[in-house]
Amino acid sequence: MKIDYKILWLDDKAKTITDDGYNIEIESYLKELYFEPHITLTKNEKEFFDNLTDDYDLILTDYHLEDGNNRNGDVIIKEVRDKSIFTEIMFYSAKGDVVDTNKLDRITFVDTSRNKGDHYDTVIDKAKDLIDLTVKKF
């Protein structure tokens, strides 16, 4: 029997994530940990909130959302917290100009602006670290 591990992922560049297989990399990692992965990848606020429940183990979100999104990730996550959903959250940004994330509970922020490697490779590595943390809590 495998235990489910659910991730809700908001990124306006969702096609890049699937085209380059980053979601598959996270799924493979979770399978190595003997979990049954369930990743819900959304590209805009509407899809995100249509799927949002307190059943997720981890929420990943880009901070700078464009393409059909009116707000940045921090505002969206404040709304998540207002709904009393306290799932671990990881913000990431390649632009590096994120402010006030320290005022939000249970938030990890990954700034890839100074990274010499690929933006999403760094996001995936940090997501794996956060998955490890949430697994230790089990």
Side-chain angles (χ1 to χ4, degrees), residues 8-64:
L8 181 58
W9 195 341
L10 172 60
D11 194 311
D12 57 322
K13 309 273 188 294
K15 184 168 176 12
T16 299
I17 291 168
T18 56
D19 287 353
D20 292 343
Y22 294 112
N23 57 324
I24 301 300
E25 187 174 342
I26 292 291
E27 288 175 354
S28 296
Y29 184 71
L30 286 167
K31 287 177 182 178
E32 288 174 18
L33 298 174
Y34 301 100
F35 285 95
E36 185 64 42
H38 300 278
I39 299 175
T40 303
L41 184 58
T42 62
K43 63 181 180 284
N44 60 50
E45 294 176 49
K46 181 177 179 346
E47 287 180 11
F48 178 82
F49 283 108
D50 285 350
N51 285 282
L52 181 65
T53 67
D54 63 356
D55 292 336
Y56 287 95
D57 300 293
L58 179 61
I59 295 173
L60 305 175
T61 181
D62 190 359
Y63 180 82
H64 295 283

